Amino acid sequence: MHNIFKSTGALFLGKISIAALGFLSTSLITRYLGDLEYGQYSYIFSLTATYFILADFGLSIQIIRNVAKNEASHVLEKAMLTRTFLAMISCVALCMYLLYTRVSFQFFVVSGIFMLYQWLLYVSLSFEAYLQGKQNFGKAVLPQVVAALVGVLATFTAVKSDLGLIGLASVLLLSQFSAVLVGQYLNRVKVSSLFYSLSDIFALLQKVSPLALGVMLSMLYFKIDIVIMGAFFSPQQSNDVGLYAIAYKWFETGLVFSGYIIQVLFPTFAAINDINRLKIEVIRYFFIVLLIALFISGTIFLFAPSLVLLLGGPDFIKADIILRILSLALVPTLLGGFLMSIILSLKKDMMYVAISLTALVLNIVLNVFFIPHYSYLAAAWVTFITQIWVFVGYTVCVYIFLFKKKASQKTEKFDQHFYETFHEVVKTPKKIVNEDDYTHGPLVKLIRPIVKKGNLNILDIGCGTGSLSVYLAHMKNQVLGIDISERAIAGSRQYAKKVNVDKNATFVVGVLEDLDRSKKFDCVFAIEVIEHVDNDEKFLEEIAKRIKRSEERRVGKE
């Protein structure tokens, strides 16, 4: 709990800085452009961002997952290269659309600048995701803080120099370039490590494809409303897009302030292999997130007129009613995001895709039907309705996959008190076991041919104080040790750290059925465990479900 709030504090301070500087930049831009031209600026930006959703492809979540579970193998470099490849596809598609619609020269140039900005943004987000996976949130937020500071200074210069839309777009590009430089400095990615074949890119795309579809769909229904509104109310002739954009800016800021804790909790949830422990953590933090959502939503609702005047000036005063409607959507949006992080940590990616797809369809249908009649009021209410739908969907999924799931019907009916007492007197090993060890020597000789090459994902059931797990980790394998005794697991972690293999070995308290069944292993060991279970056959069936190649099984007892 202490580490969570410590991490949250670092991220919170960073988000405050980014939001404050972002407000200042937006305030300069709105007062310089006015409601009509600001609508054009927002429309072009939203259109570009919509096309570049492809460049996200769920890679940030994949990076966080891999790093949080110590499964990262050049995942940052591969993600950056893949996003560059996808950004090129997005760029070509958008250019074809712009040429087809015969937009003005200024529209085309500003769009081109925003394309470069989007590419740099996703490169920067790759750096941020990597540091989030390591739960180093202070460093993770630093590149965007620098970008916001550069953005304010450059925006002030552009406004004073009367550089117009093209100048302001260039300012945004410059700010994101500074974020990439800072991210590179913090992560020290070697240029030589960025060269992978197309097969590597396609392999990564295939790996994250279900997750990517869900991410892109959810991002799309957040961005599509301004694009649809721009199709019915031209930004060159109507200020409707500008009014909606200024209110939506506060809505996005509310999500940033309230959603920062989710950025902390997702890697925490993703690292938990024990379902029962995950239930406890979810309940613990749900009410914290709810209170944050209610506070921010209520504050924005009450002070909507003042907030609109602060950000946009008198030209945007009509946007206060839009902001009040959007503030109501903040509570289901934040809670939905919290529940989404649980669904993703459980690796229920297809449920995430299904909810995102239905939400997108609902959002588009309602917007297309109501925006021509009610303009920005329709867009705001549709956002609220869509977020209620998403919240309800995620609530049902979390209930089914986490809470309705019966507590582990354990085949291992251990006497936990006995084992806690046993491990209270058993000392933690001081060195790594070898073939000369009197107790473990025969076992080491038996398994060495199987594990000596390394790079295997191994599960050690009933790991005790970690003698076997640490040996396997020492052989350059990724090991997950599980035991019912808290004292044993504490000793295992201490032992692994003492002999410097803690990066390769993870230990959790629990039994086999507590582990996520979607997680597969190259090898599973259960040394001196089977004689303690009531149902040998069911226990072996559970083990078989965790092995990648189920046809290769060896059953034995030390």
Side-chain angles (χ1 to χ4, degrees):
M1 176 75 80
H2 173 74
N3 289 334
I4 288 289
F5 282 103
K6 183 179 178 181
S7 299
T8 300
L11 190 60
F12 181 64
L13 291 175
K15 295 298 183 183
I16 286 179
S17 302
I18 293 170
L21 294 168
F23 287 156
L24 187 53
S25 294
T26 302
S27 182
L28 290 169
I29 293 171
T30 53
R31 284 167 171 78
Y32 171 63
L33 295 178
D35 56 352
L36 187 63
E37 204 167 7
Y38 180 69
Q40 298 174 37
Y41 176 90
S42 299
Y43 177 73
I44 299 172
F45 183 84
S46 297
L47 181 66
T48 309
T50 300
Y51 270 84
F52 270 73
I53 286 174
L54 177 64
D56 183 274
F57 215 78
L59 291 170
S60 288
I61 295 176
Q62 185 66 28
I63 293 170
I64 293 173
R65 274 182 178 175
N66 286 9
V67 175
K69 289 182 176 291
N70 294 317
E71 297 174 351
S73 177
H74 300 291
V75 64
L76 175 59
E77 294 88 344
K78 290 179 180 178
M80 290 171 61
L81 184 63
T82 301
R83 278 181 161 165
T84 299
F85 174 74
L86 295 174
M88 293 171 62
I89 296 175
S90 300
C91 181
V92 171
L94 180 55
C95 286
M96 291 176 64
Y97 171 79
L98 296 176
L99 291 172
Y100 176 77
T101 54
R102 298 182 180 182
V103 298
S104 66
F105 176 75
Q106 178 178 259
F107 194 114
F108 195 91
V109 172
V110 173
S111 298
I113 296 172
F114 281 158
M115 290 182 211
L116 290 174
Y117 165 83
Q118 291 292 337
W119 169 58
L120 292 176
L121 173 65
Y122 283 115
V123 171
S124 178
L125 290 178
S126 299
F127 288 133
E128 182 177 329
Y130 187 80
L131 293 169
Q132 282 184 25
K134 289 182 173 293
Q135 299 194 30
N136 193 335
F137 298 101
K139 287 185 177 179
V141 77
L142 184 59
Q144 293 305 320
V145 172
V146 173
L149 179 60
V150 172
V152 169
L153 297 176
T155 299
F156 180 79
T157 302
V159 169
K160 286 295 183 181
S161 303
D162 194 21
L163 298 181
L165 275 178
I166 295 177
L168 291 174
S170 301
V171 163
L172 206 59
L173 177 62
L174 176 64
S175 66
Q176 202 53 236
F177 180 71
S178 66
V180 171
L181 292 179
V182 175
Q184 168 62 20
Y185 174 77
L186 294 175
N187 290 274
R188 306 295 175 94
V189 175
K190 295 181 180 179
V191 176
S192 59
S193 66
L194 290 174
F195 293 96
Y196 292 91
S197 64
L198 280 176
S199 61
D200 292 317
I201 294 176
F202 291 137
L204 182 57
L205 292 176
Q206 184 178 11
K207 183 177 181 181
V208 301
S209 55
L211 173 64
L213 183 58
V215 171
M216 291 188 293
L217 290 172
S218 63
M219 291 177 67
L220 191 56
Y221 73 69
F222 270 115
K223 298 180 182 297
I224 198 69
D225 47 5
I226 288 183
V227 176
I228 294 174
M229 189 181 301
F232 288 106
F233 298 90
S234 172
Q236 284 80 19
Q237 301 173 0
S238 170
N239 67 352
D240 288 44
V241 172
L243 293 176
Y244 186 75
I246 201 73
Y248 206 85
K249 187 74 175 177
W250 276 109
F251 176 70
E252 288 179 332
T253 304
L255 291 179
V256 168
F257 270 109
S258 54
Y260 79 93
I261 194 170
I262 295 174
Q263 291 181 281
V264 178
L265 292 177
F266 174 64
T268 302
F269 290 155
I272 296 175
N273 293 295
D274 185 338
I275 292 294
N276 292 323
R277 183 185 163 205
L278 182 59
K279 290 179 182 178
I280 295 171
E281 295 299 315
V282 167
I283 294 172
R284 178 184 299 180
Y285 291 111
F286 175 82
F287 292 102
I288 295 175
V289 176
L290 175 61
L291 289 174
I292 292 173
L294 289 172
F295 173 76
I296 295 179
S297 175
T299 301
I300 292 178
F301 185 89
L302 290 174
F303 297 101
S306 300
L307 294 174
V308 169
L309 284 173
L310 177 65
L311 193 58
D315 290 348
F316 295 86
I317 191 59
K318 290 182 179 179
D320 65 333
I321 184 62
I322 308 172
L323 181 55
R324 280 188 162 143
I325 298 171
L326 291 174
S327 70
L328 299 177
L330 271 174
V331 176
T333 300
L334 177 60
L335 292 177
F338 173 77
L339 296 172
M340 178 197 72
S341 68
I342 300 165
I343 292 294
L344 294 176
S345 68
L346 292 171
K347 295 188 176 181
K348 302 298 181 181
D349 295 352
M350 291 311 299
M351 293 307 304
Y352 175 47
V353 171
I355 293 172
S356 299
L357 177 60
T358 56
L360 175 62
V361 172
L362 177 66
N363 188 281
I364 291 176
V365 169
L366 293 179
N367 272 320
V368 170
F369 185 80
F370 287 108
I371 280 179
H373 304 288
Y374 303 103
S375 187
Y376 45 68
L377 293 179
W381 279 116
V382 169
T383 298
F384 175 73
I385 293 169
T386 304
Q387 292 311 120
I388 290 291
W389 172 269
V390 170
F391 169 68
V392 171
Y394 284 136
T395 300
V396 172
C397 288
V398 170
Y399 174 73
I400 292 173
F401 295 117
L402 187 62
F403 290 98
K404 192 178 180 181
K405 185 177 181 180
K406 294 181 180 179
S408 303
Q409 298 180 4
K410 304 176 177 62
T411 57
E412 307 92 334
K413 294 182 178 179
F414 295 112
D415 183 344
Q416 186 170 3
H417 176 72
F418 171 80
Y419 281 101
E420 293 293 0
T421 304
F422 173 77
H423 287 294
E424 187 175 8
V425 297
V426 174
K427 294 183 179 179
T428 302
K430 294 183 179 180
K431 61 180 182 179
I432 299 173
V433 299
N434 55 52
E435 295 183 8
D436 298 325
D437 187 88
Y438 177 78
T439 304
H440 298 92
L443 176 62
V444 171
K445 289 179 182 178
L446 178 65
I447 68 173
R448 183 178 177 83
I450 303 173
V451 302
K452 65 180 181 180
K453 291 184 180 180
N455 295 320
L456 297 175
N457 286 316
I458 299 176
L459 173 63
D460 184 11
I461 304 168
C463 63
T465 52
S467 296
L468 178 61
S469 296
V470 167
Y471 168 75
L472 297 169
H474 176 67
M475 300 298 288
K476 308 301 182 184
N477 299 292
Q478 289 294 329
V479 184
L480 174 61
I482 183 168
D483 197 283
I484 196 171
S485 170
E486 293 183 2
R487 284 194 177 96
I489 292 299
S492 298
R493 290 169 179 163
Q494 182 182 5
Y495 177 27
K497 189 173 183 179
K498 183 189 299 183
V499 295
N500 297 317
V501 299
D502 50 311
K503 290 185 178 180
N504 293 345
T506 303
F507 298 95
V508 297
V509 178
V511 293
L512 179 59
E513 288 88 349
D514 292 334
L515 300 179
D516 182 0
R517 291 192 178 185
S518 65
K519 175 72 173 178
K520 304 295 183 182
F521 299 89
D522 298 300
C523 297
V524 178
F525 291 97
I527 307 302
E528 293 190 341
V529 173
I530 197 169
E531 63 267 35
H532 296 284
V533 302
D534 290 341
N535 190 329
D536 296 358
E537 183 178 351
K538 186 173 181 180
F539 179 67
L540 293 174
E541 287 176 356
E542 287 292 329
I543 289 178
K545 294 175 184 177
R546 268 70 177 190
I547 301 175
K548 290 182 180 178
R549 298 178 180 178
S550 57
E551 70 277 6
E552 297 180 9
R553 302 176 188 165
R554 297 186 184 186
V555 179
K557 180 181 181 297
E558 183 183 19

